Amino acid sequence: TKQADILGKISRKVEGLVELTNELLDLSRIEAGLIVQDKQQVQLMDILDGLVEFMQARAKEKNISLTLKKADLPLINADGRSMEEVFSNLITNAINYTPENGNIHVKMAVAGINIKVDVNDNGFGIEDKHIDKIFERFYRAKNDQTRYITGTGLGLPIVKELVQSLGGFVEVESTFGKGTTFTVLLPVALNT
């Protein structure tokens, strides 16, 4: 019915506003140094293993293969919830921006004094004109293929702020029409 359609649209708008509010609160907490004050030595492999397993159902809805290449990793000084948020955002983006029957690979390795995690997909890719802006707040790269994908434009800024607050950094490489790789480097905890 028409009323049900209207209520459905209102409900989706409210959900979007709640998501936006939560993400803005997260950014303000990160900037205030509140969200990562409770650093502990955590095993990133365990976090990624659990996340990939949890997100398999979402990937399977699009017949996307989501794989995790494990490695023996040293511990990092981080807040486990923050790490879940970082990689949940990156994997969710990969699922959203990869068409059906695509592939997403999450790989981890030791790179010098850092842990390196790649989230690689063979999805829509990002045009060169958007690459330098995707970590800006509210910026969303749109084209005919991606304009129907919803989001707040705050996921990647949150990823960047959290990673930087832990002394790491995040970078992206992408080929339009072929896929994207987000790489996160996080420093290994001392005395592990």
Side-chain angles (χ1 to χ4, degrees), residues 42 44 46 87-88 128 154 157:
V42 298
L44 190 56
D46 294 340
F87 292 104
S88 174
D128 289 344
L154 289 173

Side-chain angles (χ1 to χ4, degrees), residues 81-99:
R81 179 182 170 273
S82 297
M83 288 296 88
E84 285 181 357
E85 187 158 9
V86 165
F87 292 104
S88 174
N89 265 306
L90 293 179
I91 296 169
T92 296
N93 275 0
I95 293 171
N96 287 343
Y97 288 89
T98 299

